[in-house]
PDB file of all heavy atoms in Angstrom:
ATOM      1  N   ALA A   8     -87.611 -10.107  47.689  1.00 98.00           N
ATOM      2  CA  ALA A   8     -88.956 -10.427  47.102  1.00 98.00           C
ATOM      3  C   ALA A   8     -89.926  -9.254  47.293  1.00 98.00           C
ATOM      4  O   ALA A   8     -89.625  -8.385  48.205  1.00 98.00           O
ATOM      5  CB  ALA A   8     -89.592 -11.637  47.638  1.00 98.00           C
ATOM      6  N   GLU A   9     -91.003  -9.191  46.516  1.00 98.00           N
ATOM      7  CA  GLU A   9     -91.902  -8.041  46.644  1.00 98.00           C
ATOM      8  C   GLU A   9     -92.563  -8.013  48.039  1.00 98.00           C
ATOM      9  O   GLU A   9     -93.050  -6.998  48.470  1.00 98.00           O
ATOM     10  CB  GLU A   9     -93.071  -8.227  45.589  1.00 98.00           C
ATOM     11  CG  GLU A   9     -92.532  -7.919  44.168  1.00 98.00           C
ATOM     12  CD  GLU A   9     -91.855  -9.106  43.471  1.00 98.00           C
ATOM     13  OE1 GLU A   9     -91.768 -10.140  44.098  1.00 98.00           O
ATOM     14  OE2 GLU A   9     -91.599  -8.937  42.273  1.00 98.00           O
ATOM     15  N   THR A  10     -92.657  -9.162  48.662  1.00 98.00           N
ATOM     16  CA  THR A  10     -93.235  -9.302  50.066  1.00 98.00           C
ATOM     17  C   THR A  10     -92.242  -8.785  51.137  1.00 98.00           C
ATOM     18  O   THR A  10     -92.620  -8.778  52.361  1.00 98.00           O
ATOM     19  CB  THR A  10     -93.743 -10.580  50.371  1.00 98.00           C
ATOM     20  OG1 THR A  10     -92.708 -11.569  50.069  1.00 98.00           O
ATOM     21  CG2 THR A  10     -94.905 -10.987  49.428  1.00 98.00           C
ATOM     22  N   ALA A  11     -91.096  -8.533  50.801  1.00 97.00           N
ATOM     23  CA  ALA A  11     -90.078  -8.137  51.839  1.00 97.00           C
ATOM     24  C   ALA A  11     -90.521  -6.889  52.568  1.00 97.00           C
ATOM     25  O   ALA A  11     -91.281  -6.039  52.056  1.00 97.00           O
ATOM     26  CB  ALA A  11     -88.713  -7.916  51.168  1.00 97.00           C
ATOM     27  N   PRO A  12     -90.040  -6.622  53.808  1.00 97.00           N
ATOM     28  CA  PRO A  12     -90.334  -5.468  54.582  1.00 97.00           C
ATOM     29  C   PRO A  12     -89.888  -4.120  53.793  1.00 97.00           C
ATOM     30  O   PRO A  12     -88.884  -4.197  53.057  1.00 97.00           O
ATOM     31  CB  PRO A  12     -89.507  -5.607  55.806  1.00 97.00           C
ATOM     32  CG  PRO A  12     -89.289  -7.064  55.993  1.00 97.00           C
ATOM     33  CD  PRO A  12     -89.143  -7.594  54.606  1.00 97.00           C
ATOM     34  N   LYS A  13     -90.631  -3.158  53.950  1.00 97.00           N
ATOM     35  CA  LYS A  13     -90.382  -1.881  53.258  1.00 97.00           C
ATOM     36  C   LYS A  13     -90.108  -0.793  54.240  1.00 97.00           C
ATOM     37  O   LYS A  13     -91.064  -0.341  54.868  1.00 97.00           O
ATOM     38  CB  LYS A  13     -91.626  -1.560  52.245  1.00 97.00           C
ATOM     39  CG  LYS A  13     -91.842  -2.647  51.294  1.00 97.00           C
ATOM     40  CD  LYS A  13     -93.179  -2.592  50.613  1.00 97.00           C
ATOM     41  CE  LYS A  13     -93.359  -3.868  49.679  1.00 97.00           C
ATOM     42  NZ  LYS A  13     -93.317  -5.111  50.473  1.00 97.00           N
ATOM     43  N   GLU A  14     -88.873  -0.555  54.373  1.00 96.00           N
ATOM     44  CA  GLU A  14     -88.403   0.500  55.353  1.00 96.00           C
ATOM     45  C   GLU A  14     -87.448   1.311  54.606  1.00 96.00           C
ATOM     46  O   GLU A  14     -86.230   1.325  54.732  1.00 96.00           O
ATOM     47  CB  GLU A  14     -87.641  -0.222  56.450  1.00 96.00           C
ATOM     48  CG  GLU A  14     -88.540  -1.123  57.320  1.00 96.00           C
ATOM     49  CD  GLU A  14     -89.566  -0.482  58.168  1.00 96.00           C
ATOM     50  OE1 GLU A  14     -89.469   0.791  58.435  1.00 96.00           O
ATOM     51  OE2 GLU A  14     -90.519  -1.102  58.555  1.00 96.00           O
ATOM     52  N   PRO A  15     -88.060   2.329  53.884  1.00 95.00           N
ATOM     53  CA  PRO A  15     -87.149   3.273  53.075  1.00 95.00           C
ATOM     54  C   PRO A  15     -86.142   4.056  53.939  1.00 95.00           C
ATOM     55  O   PRO A  15     -86.501   4.355  55.117  1.00 95.00           O
ATOM     56  CB  PRO A  15     -88.162   4.215  52.344  1.00 95.00           C
ATOM     57  CG  PRO A  15     -89.434   3.486  52.303  1.00 95.00           C
ATOM     58  CD  PRO A  15     -89.479   2.669  53.529  1.00 95.00           C
ATOM     59  N   VAL A  16     -85.005   4.291  53.457  1.00 93.00           N
ATOM     60  CA  VAL A  16     -83.965   5.010  54.320  1.00 93.00           C
ATOM     61  C   VAL A  16     -83.705   6.468  53.683  1.00 93.00           C
ATOM     62  O   VAL A  16     -82.794   7.081  54.055  1.00 93.00           O
ATOM     63  CB  VAL A  16     -82.593   4.237  54.345  1.00 93.00           C
ATOM     64  CG1 VAL A  16     -82.885   2.953  55.040  1.00 93.00           C
ATOM     65  CG2 VAL A  16     -82.083   3.930  52.965  1.00 93.00           C
ATOM     66  N   SER A  17     -84.570   6.886  52.678  1.00 94.00           N
ATOM     67  CA  SER A  17     -84.404   8.199  52.117  1.00 94.00           C
ATOM     68  C   SER A  17     -85.803   8.677  51.779  1.00 94.00           C
ATOM     69  O   SER A  17     -86.729   7.939  51.573  1.00 94.00           O
ATOM     70  CB  SER A  17     -83.575   8.189  50.889  1.00 94.00           C
ATOM     71  OG  SER A  17     -84.210   7.354  49.836  1.00 94.00           O
ATOM     72  N   PRO A  18     -86.008  10.032  51.734  1.00 96.00           N
ATOM     73  CA  PRO A  18     -87.280  10.618  51.300  1.00 96.00           C
ATOM     74  C   PRO A  18     -87.593   9.952  49.873  1.00 96.00           C
ATOM     75  O   PRO A  18     -88.739   9.709  49.537  1.00 96.00           O
ATOM     76  CB  PRO A  18     -86.980  12.054  51.158  1.00 96.00           C
ATOM     77  CG  PRO A  18     -85.987  12.314  52.187  1.00 96.00           C
ATOM     78  CD  PRO A  18     -85.117  11.147  52.114  1.00 96.00           C
ATOM     79  N   TYR A  19     -86.587   9.794  49.020  1.00 96.00           N
ATOM     80  CA  TYR A  19     -86.889   9.210  47.717  1.00 96.00           C
ATOM     81  C   TYR A  19     -87.575   7.820  47.795  1.00 96.00           C
ATOM     82  O   TYR A  19     -88.630   7.566  47.137  1.00 96.00           O
ATOM     83  CB  TYR A  19     -85.656   9.121  46.880  1.00 96.00           C
ATOM     84  CG  TYR A  19     -85.775   8.443  45.588  1.00 96.00           C
ATOM     85  CD1 TYR A  19     -86.449   8.907  44.522  1.00 96.00           C
ATOM     86  CD2 TYR A  19     -85.289   7.047  45.415  1.00 96.00           C
ATOM     87  CE1 TYR A  19     -86.700   8.140  43.306  1.00 96.00           C
ATOM     88  CE2 TYR A  19     -85.459   6.378  44.267  1.00 96.00           C
ATOM     89  CZ  TYR A  19     -86.121   6.940  43.190  1.00 96.00           C
ATOM     90  OH  TYR A  19     -86.264   6.147  42.052  1.00 96.00           O
ATOM     91  N   GLY A  20     -87.018   6.940  48.627  1.00 96.00           N
ATOM     92  CA  GLY A  20     -87.566   5.700  48.809  1.00 96.00           C
ATOM     93  C   GLY A  20     -88.971   5.830  49.334  1.00 96.00           C
ATOM     94  O   GLY A  20     -89.897   5.079  48.996  1.00 96.00           O
ATOM     95  N   LEU A  21     -89.225   6.621  50.337  1.00 97.00           N
ATOM     96  CA  LEU A  21     -90.561   6.804  50.893  1.00 97.00           C
ATOM     97  C   LEU A  21     -91.556   7.247  49.901  1.00 97.00           C
ATOM     98  O   LEU A  21     -92.692   6.904  49.819  1.00 97.00           O
ATOM     99  CB  LEU A  21     -90.486   7.732  52.137  1.00 97.00           C
ATOM    100  CG  LEU A  21     -91.765   7.984  52.878  1.00 97.00           C
ATOM    101  CD1 LEU A  21     -92.367   6.654  53.359  1.00 97.00           C
ATOM    102  CD2 LEU A  21     -91.575   8.899  54.047  1.00 97.00           C
ATOM    103  N   GLU A  22     -91.089   8.240  49.097  1.00 98.00           N
ATOM    104  CA  GLU A  22     -91.910   8.814  47.994  1.00 98.00           C
ATOM    105  C   GLU A  22     -92.314   7.751  47.004  1.00 98.00           C
ATOM    106  O   GLU A  22     -93.576   7.703  46.682  1.00 98.00           O
ATOM    107  CB  GLU A  22     -91.227   9.945  47.292  1.00 98.00           C
ATOM    108  CG  GLU A  22     -90.951  11.196  48.166  1.00 98.00           C
ATOM    109  CD  GLU A  22     -89.826  12.065  47.777  1.00 98.00           C
ATOM    110  OE1 GLU A  22     -89.287  11.800  46.626  1.00 98.00           O
ATOM    111  OE2 GLU A  22     -89.449  12.935  48.542  1.00 98.00           O
ATOM    112  N   LYS A  23     -91.420   6.956  46.596  1.00 98.00           N
ATOM    113  CA  LYS A  23     -91.757   5.867  45.676  1.00 98.00           C
ATOM    114  C   LYS A  23     -92.777   4.877  46.305  1.00 98.00           C
ATOM    115  O   LYS A  23     -93.584   4.327  45.670  1.00 98.00           O
ATOM    116  CB  LYS A  23     -90.457   5.246  45.166  1.00 98.00           C
ATOM    117  CG  LYS A  23     -89.701   5.950  44.154  1.00 98.00           C
ATOM    118  CD  LYS A  23     -90.568   6.119  42.885  1.00 98.00           C
ATOM    119  CE  LYS A  23     -89.798   6.826  41.701  1.00 98.00           C
ATOM    120  NZ  LYS A  23     -90.584   6.822  40.403  1.00 98.00           N
ATOM    121  N   LEU A  24     -92.475   4.585  47.622  1.00 98.00           N
ATOM    122  CA  LEU A  24     -93.366   3.622  48.261  1.00 98.00           C
ATOM    123  C   LEU A  24     -94.811   4.211  48.406  1.00 98.00           C
ATOM    124  O   LEU A  24     -95.745   3.503  48.140  1.00 98.00           O
ATOM    125  CB  LEU A  24     -92.836   3.352  49.679  1.00 98.00           C
ATOM    126  CG  LEU A  24     -93.683   2.372  50.539  1.00 98.00           C
ATOM    127  CD1 LEU A  24     -93.886   1.033  49.777  1.00 98.00           C
ATOM    128  CD2 LEU A  24     -92.975   2.091  51.946  1.00 98.00           C
ATOM    129  N   SER A  25     -94.933   5.491  48.628  1.00 98.00           N
ATOM    130  CA  SER A  25     -96.196   6.107  48.747  1.00 98.00           C
ATOM    131  C   SER A  25     -96.971   6.002  47.381  1.00 98.00           C
ATOM    132  O   SER A  25     -98.091   5.677  47.293  1.00 98.00           O
ATOM    133  CB  SER A  25     -96.094   7.617  49.137  1.00 98.00           C
ATOM    134  OG  SER A  25     -95.533   7.795  50.402  1.00 98.00           O
ATOM    135  N   ALA A  26     -96.211   6.404  46.266  1.00 98.00           N
ATOM    136  CA  ALA A  26     -96.755   6.281  44.929  1.00 98.00           C
ATOM    137  C   ALA A  26     -97.198   4.873  44.586  1.00 98.00           C
ATOM    138  O   ALA A  26     -98.237   4.603  44.001  1.00 98.00           O
ATOM    139  CB  ALA A  26     -95.883   7.007  43.912  1.00 98.00           C
ATOM    140  N   ASP A  27     -96.333   3.935  44.935  1.00 98.00           N
ATOM    141  CA  ASP A  27     -96.520   2.503  44.736  1.00 98.00           C
ATOM    142  C   ASP A  27     -97.857   2.063  45.399  1.00 98.00           C
ATOM    143  O   ASP A  27     -98.699   1.340  44.817  1.00 98.00           O
ATOM    144  CB  ASP A  27     -95.366   1.743  45.361  1.00 98.00           C
ATOM    145  CG  ASP A  27     -95.158   0.346  44.871  1.00 98.00           C
ATOM    146  OD1 ASP A  27     -96.103  -0.450  45.081  1.00 98.00           O
ATOM    147  OD2 ASP A  27     -94.047  -0.080  44.453  1.00 98.00           O
ATOM    148  N   HIS A  28     -98.003   2.539  46.642  1.00 98.00           N
ATOM    149  CA  HIS A  28     -99.261   2.203  47.346  1.00 98.00           C
ATOM    150  C   HIS A  28    -100.550   2.928  46.705  1.00 98.00           C
ATOM    151  O   HIS A  28    -101.553   2.336  46.690  1.00 98.00           O
ATOM    152  CB  HIS A  28     -99.195   2.590  48.783  1.00 98.00           C
ATOM    153  CG  HIS A  28     -98.399   1.661  49.780  1.00 98.00           C
ATOM    154  ND1 HIS A  28     -98.443   0.334  49.540  1.00 98.00           N
ATOM    155  CD2 HIS A  28     -97.688   1.925  50.731  1.00 98.00           C
ATOM    156  CE1 HIS A  28     -97.609  -0.231  50.459  1.00 98.00           C
ATOM    157  NE2 HIS A  28     -97.111   0.694  51.235  1.00 98.00           N
ATOM    158  N   TYR A  29    -100.288   4.070  46.281  1.00 98.00           N
ATOM    159  CA  TYR A  29    -101.449   4.768  45.549  1.00 98.00           C
ATOM    160  C   TYR A  29    -101.878   4.003  44.349  1.00 98.00           C
ATOM    161  O   TYR A  29    -103.087   3.870  44.065  1.00 98.00           O
ATOM    162  CB  TYR A  29    -100.972   6.229  45.189  1.00 98.00           C
ATOM    163  CG  TYR A  29    -101.470   7.272  46.144  1.00 98.00           C
ATOM    164  CD1 TYR A  29    -100.516   8.120  46.702  1.00 98.00           C
ATOM    165  CD2 TYR A  29    -102.809   7.494  46.419  1.00 98.00           C
ATOM    166  CE1 TYR A  29    -100.851   9.103  47.634  1.00 98.00           C
ATOM    167  CE2 TYR A  29    -103.124   8.440  47.370  1.00 98.00           C
ATOM    168  CZ  TYR A  29    -102.168   9.288  47.942  1.00 98.00           C
ATOM    169  OH  TYR A  29    -102.565  10.211  48.729  1.00 98.00           O
ATOM    170  N   CYS A  30    -100.882   3.390  43.588  1.00 98.00           N
ATOM    171  CA  CYS A  30    -101.302   2.561  42.508  1.00 98.00           C
ATOM    172  C   CYS A  30    -102.147   1.350  42.943  1.00 98.00           C
ATOM    173  O   CYS A  30    -103.185   1.128  42.294  1.00 98.00           O
ATOM    174  CB  CYS A  30    -100.033   2.059  41.788  1.00 98.00           C
ATOM    175  SG  CYS A  30     -99.104   3.356  40.900  1.00 98.00           S
ATOM    176  N   ARG A  31    -101.817   0.683  44.009  1.00 98.00           N
ATOM    177  CA  ARG A  31    -102.516  -0.375  44.463  1.00 98.00           C
ATOM    178  C   ARG A  31    -103.935   0.105  44.960  1.00 98.00           C
ATOM    179  O   ARG A  31    -104.917  -0.631  44.650  1.00 98.00           O
ATOM    180  CB  ARG A  31    -101.764  -1.015  45.607  1.00 98.00           C
ATOM    181  CG  ARG A  31    -102.561  -2.196  46.257  1.00 98.00           C
ATOM    182  CD  ARG A  31    -101.798  -2.851  47.401  1.00 98.00           C
ATOM    183  NE  ARG A  31    -101.360  -1.883  48.442  1.00 98.00           N
ATOM    184  CZ  ARG A  31    -102.203  -1.503  49.334  1.00 98.00           C
ATOM    185  NH1 ARG A  31    -103.465  -1.930  49.470  1.00 98.00           N
ATOM    186  NH2 ARG A  31    -101.753  -0.601  50.274  1.00 98.00           N
ATOM    187  N   LEU A  32    -103.978   1.139  45.663  1.00 98.00           N
ATOM    188  CA  LEU A  32    -105.296   1.609  46.185  1.00 98.00           C
ATOM    189  C   LEU A  32    -106.230   2.068  45.005  1.00 98.00           C
ATOM    190  O   LEU A  32    -107.456   1.840  45.024  1.00 98.00           O
ATOM    191  CB  LEU A  32    -105.100   2.825  47.050  1.00 98.00           C
ATOM    192  CG  LEU A  32    -104.651   2.457  48.526  1.00 98.00           C
ATOM    193  CD1 LEU A  32    -104.359   3.697  49.305  1.00 98.00           C
ATOM    194  CD2 LEU A  32    -105.786   1.689  49.192  1.00 98.00           C
ATOM    195  N   PHE A  33    -105.680   2.706  43.972  1.00 98.00           N
ATOM    196  CA  PHE A  33    -106.526   3.186  42.871  1.00 98.00           C
ATOM    197  C   PHE A  33    -107.075   1.898  42.124  1.00 98.00           C
ATOM    198  O   PHE A  33    -108.175   1.950  41.574  1.00 98.00           O
ATOM    199  CB  PHE A  33    -105.772   3.969  41.912  1.00 98.00           C
ATOM    200  CG  PHE A  33    -105.973   5.481  42.157  1.00 98.00           C
ATOM    201  CD1 PHE A  33    -105.632   6.103  43.294  1.00 98.00           C
ATOM    202  CD2 PHE A  33    -106.675   6.320  41.257  1.00 98.00           C
ATOM    203  CE1 PHE A  33    -105.741   7.491  43.565  1.00 98.00           C
ATOM    204  CE2 PHE A  33    -106.872   7.606  41.519  1.00 98.00           C
ATOM    205  CZ  PHE A  33    -106.467   8.257  42.632  1.00 98.00           C
ATOM    206  N   ALA A  34    -106.229   0.841  42.099  1.00 98.00           N
ATOM    207  CA  ALA A  34    -106.839  -0.411  41.460  1.00 98.00           C
ATOM    208  C   ALA A  34    -107.929  -1.001  42.362  1.00 98.00           C
ATOM    209  O   ALA A  34    -108.935  -1.435  41.881  1.00 98.00           O
ATOM    210  CB  ALA A  34    -105.701  -1.449  41.373  1.00 98.00           C
ATOM    211  N   GLU A  35    -107.693  -1.004  43.604  1.00 98.00           N
ATOM    212  CA  GLU A  35    -108.715  -1.563  44.566  1.00 98.00           C
ATOM    213  C   GLU A  35    -109.975  -0.751  44.702  1.00 98.00           C
ATOM    214  O   GLU A  35    -111.131  -1.224  44.726  1.00 98.00           O
ATOM    215  CB  GLU A  35    -108.112  -1.881  45.918  1.00 98.00           C
ATOM    216  CG  GLU A  35    -106.979  -2.886  45.927  1.00 98.00           C
ATOM    217  CD  GLU A  35    -106.342  -3.119  47.313  1.00 98.00           C
ATOM    218  OE1 GLU A  35    -106.731  -2.376  48.196  1.00 98.00           O
ATOM    219  OE2 GLU A  35    -105.490  -3.933  47.394  1.00 98.00           O
ATOM    220  N   LEU A  36    -109.805   0.588  44.823  1.00 98.00           N
ATOM    221  CA  LEU A  36    -110.917   1.453  45.221  1.00 98.00           C
ATOM    222  C   LEU A  36    -111.731   1.878  43.884  1.00 98.00           C
ATOM    223  O   LEU A  36    -112.939   1.984  43.893  1.00 98.00           O
ATOM    224  CB  LEU A  36    -110.481   2.738  45.874  1.00 98.00           C
ATOM    225  CG  LEU A  36    -109.914   2.487  47.337  1.00 98.00           C
ATOM    226  CD1 LEU A  36    -109.344   3.852  47.830  1.00 98.00           C
ATOM    227  CD2 LEU A  36    -110.996   1.943  48.255  1.00 98.00           C
ATOM    228  N   TYR A  37    -111.010   2.143  42.847  1.00 98.00           N
ATOM    229  CA  TYR A  37    -111.652   2.727  41.639  1.00 98.00           C
ATOM    230  C   TYR A  37    -111.562   1.840  40.415  1.00 98.00           C
ATOM    231  O   TYR A  37    -111.990   2.301  39.390  1.00 98.00           O
ATOM    232  CB  TYR A  37    -110.933   4.095  41.296  1.00 98.00           C
ATOM    233  CG  TYR A  37    -110.840   5.021  42.557  1.00 98.00           C
ATOM    234  CD1 TYR A  37    -109.608   5.521  42.944  1.00 98.00           C
ATOM    235  CD2 TYR A  37    -111.994   5.442  43.197  1.00 98.00           C
ATOM    236  CE1 TYR A  37    -109.464   6.361  44.057  1.00 98.00           C
ATOM    237  CE2 TYR A  37    -111.938   6.199  44.234  1.00 98.00           C
ATOM    238  CZ  TYR A  37    -110.635   6.662  44.649  1.00 98.00           C
ATOM    239  OH  TYR A  37    -110.584   7.516  45.819  1.00 98.00           O
ATOM    240  N   GLY A  38    -110.818   0.718  40.497  1.00 98.00           N
ATOM    241  CA  GLY A  38    -110.770  -0.115  39.295  1.00 98.00           C
ATOM    242  C   GLY A  38    -109.932   0.320  38.217  1.00 98.00           C
ATOM    243  O   GLY A  38    -109.952  -0.182  37.138  1.00 98.00           O
ATOM    244  N   VAL A  39    -108.989   1.178  38.567  1.00 98.00           N
ATOM    245  CA  VAL A  39    -107.909   1.624  37.605  1.00 98.00           C
ATOM    246  C   VAL A  39    -106.985   0.461  37.502  1.00 98.00           C
ATOM    247  O   VAL A  39    -106.393   0.085  38.434  1.00 98.00           O
ATOM    248  CB  VAL A  39    -107.201   2.980  38.079  1.00 98.00           C
ATOM    249  CG1 VAL A  39    -106.115   3.319  37.144  1.00 98.00           C
ATOM    250  CG2 VAL A  39    -108.279   4.015  38.312  1.00 98.00           C
ATOM    251  N   GLU A  40    -106.703   0.077  36.237  1.00 98.00           N
ATOM    252  CA  GLU A  40    -105.693  -0.967  36.012  1.00 98.00           C
ATOM    253  C   GLU A  40    -104.301  -0.389  36.211  1.00 98.00           C
ATOM    254  O   GLU A  40    -103.867   0.565  35.492  1.00 98.00           O
ATOM    255  CB  GLU A  40    -105.843  -1.512  34.683  1.00 98.00           C
ATOM    256  CG  GLU A  40    -107.129  -2.246  34.391  1.00 98.00           C
ATOM    257  CD  GLU A  40    -107.240  -2.922  33.037  1.00 98.00           C
ATOM    258  OE1 GLU A  40    -106.261  -2.662  32.220  1.00 98.00           O
ATOM    259  OE2 GLU A  40    -108.214  -3.675  32.847  1.00 98.00           O
ATOM    260  N   THR A  41    -103.631  -0.822  37.201  1.00 98.00           N
ATOM    261  CA  THR A  41    -102.283  -0.236  37.572  1.00 98.00           C
ATOM    262  C   THR A  41    -101.283  -1.355  37.639  1.00 98.00           C
ATOM    263  O   THR A  41    -101.576  -2.508  38.093  1.00 98.00           O
ATOM    264  CB  THR A  41    -102.229   0.588  38.743  1.00 98.00           C
ATOM    265  OG1 THR A  41    -102.504  -0.341  40.004  1.00 98.00           O
ATOM    266  CG2 THR A  41    -103.177   1.687  38.812  1.00 98.00           C
ATOM    267  N   VAL A  42    -100.001  -1.092  37.243  1.00 98.00           N
ATOM    268  CA  VAL A  42     -98.845  -2.042  37.541  1.00 98.00           C
ATOM    269  C   VAL A  42     -97.687  -1.245  37.927  1.00 98.00           C
ATOM    270  O   VAL A  42     -97.365  -0.312  37.285  1.00 98.00           O
ATOM    271  CB  VAL A  42     -98.529  -2.867  36.230  1.00 98.00           C
ATOM    272  CG1 VAL A  42     -97.440  -3.870  36.499  1.00 98.00           C
ATOM    273  CG2 VAL A  42     -99.766  -3.584  35.699  1.00 98.00           C
ATOM    274  N   ALA A  43     -97.159  -1.606  39.042  1.00 98.00           N
ATOM    275  CA  ALA A  43     -95.983  -0.825  39.564  1.00 98.00           C
ATOM    276  C   ALA A  43     -94.697  -1.779  39.295  1.00 98.00           C
ATOM    277  O   ALA A  43     -94.660  -3.002  39.702  1.00 98.00           O
ATOM    278  CB  ALA A  43     -96.120  -0.509  41.028  1.00 98.00           C
ATOM    279  N   LEU A  44     -93.716  -1.197  38.720  1.00 98.00           N
ATOM    280  CA  LEU A  44     -92.555  -1.845  38.354  1.00 98.00           C
ATOM    281  C   LEU A  44     -91.339  -1.351  39.268  1.00 98.00           C
ATOM    282  O   LEU A  44     -90.931  -0.152  39.098  1.00 98.00           O
ATOM    283  CB  LEU A  44     -92.183  -1.833  36.926  1.00 98.00           C
ATOM    284  CG  LEU A  44     -93.180  -2.280  35.896  1.00 98.00           C
ATOM    285  CD1 LEU A  44     -92.735  -2.039  34.504  1.00 98.00           C
ATOM    286  CD2 LEU A  44     -93.522  -3.783  36.217  1.00 98.00           C
ATOM    287  N   ARG A  45     -90.881  -2.201  40.109  1.00 98.00           N
ATOM    288  CA  ARG A  45     -89.862  -1.692  41.084  1.00 98.00           C
ATOM    289  C   ARG A  45     -88.459  -1.985  40.474  1.00 98.00           C
ATOM    290  O   ARG A  45     -87.901  -2.991  40.507  1.00 98.00           O
ATOM    291  CB  ARG A  45     -89.916  -2.368  42.413  1.00 98.00           C
ATOM    292  CG  ARG A  45     -91.256  -2.028  43.102  1.00 98.00           C
ATOM    293  CD  ARG A  45     -91.513  -2.959  44.390  1.00 98.00           C
ATOM    294  NE  ARG A  45     -92.729  -2.559  44.950  1.00 98.00           N
ATOM    295  CZ  ARG A  45     -93.476  -3.288  45.885  1.00 98.00           C
ATOM    296  NH1 ARG A  45     -92.874  -4.443  46.254  1.00 98.00           N
ATOM    297  NH2 ARG A  45     -94.452  -2.884  46.356  1.00 98.00           N
ATOM    298  N   TYR A  46     -87.926  -0.858  39.752  1.00 98.00           N
ATOM    299  CA  TYR A  46     -86.705  -0.956  39.031  1.00 98.00           C
ATOM    300  C   TYR A  46     -85.546  -1.197  40.145  1.00 98.00           C
ATOM    301  O   TYR A  46     -85.496  -0.431  41.126  1.00 98.00           O
ATOM    302  CB  TYR A  46     -86.368   0.325  38.339  1.00 98.00           C
ATOM    303  CG  TYR A  46     -87.424   0.643  37.220  1.00 98.00           C
ATOM    304  CD1 TYR A  46     -87.333   1.900  36.690  1.00 98.00           C
ATOM    305  CD2 TYR A  46     -88.314  -0.203  36.749  1.00 98.00           C
ATOM    306  CE1 TYR A  46     -88.227   2.321  35.640  1.00 98.00           C
ATOM    307  CE2 TYR A  46     -89.205   0.098  35.742  1.00 98.00           C
ATOM    308  CZ  TYR A  46     -89.170   1.458  35.215  1.00 98.00           C
ATOM    309  OH  TYR A  46     -89.972   1.795  34.206  1.00 98.00           O
TER     310      TYR A  46
END
């Protein structure tokens, strides 16, 4: 589930997690409408 622990095991996973968090923060801080789709 989306609420599962996030412990990336590669730089790629960590990079996607960082960008995923940036999307959430831009929505919260600046009102940018963002949706992250975890393929």
Side-chain angles (χ1 to χ4, degrees):
E9 288 84 356
T10 54
K13 295 160 190 69
E14 299 289 343
V16 295
S17 67
Y19 171 73
L21 182 58
E22 290 155 12
K23 284 295 186 180
L24 181 58
S25 298
D27 195 303
H28 281 325
Y29 264 122
C30 288
R31 177 180 55 81
L32 280 174
F33 264 66
E35 293 177 357
L36 293 176
Y37 309 121
V39 178
E40 294 183 353
T41 64
V42 182
L44 301 179
R45 294 172 182 162
Y46 301 166

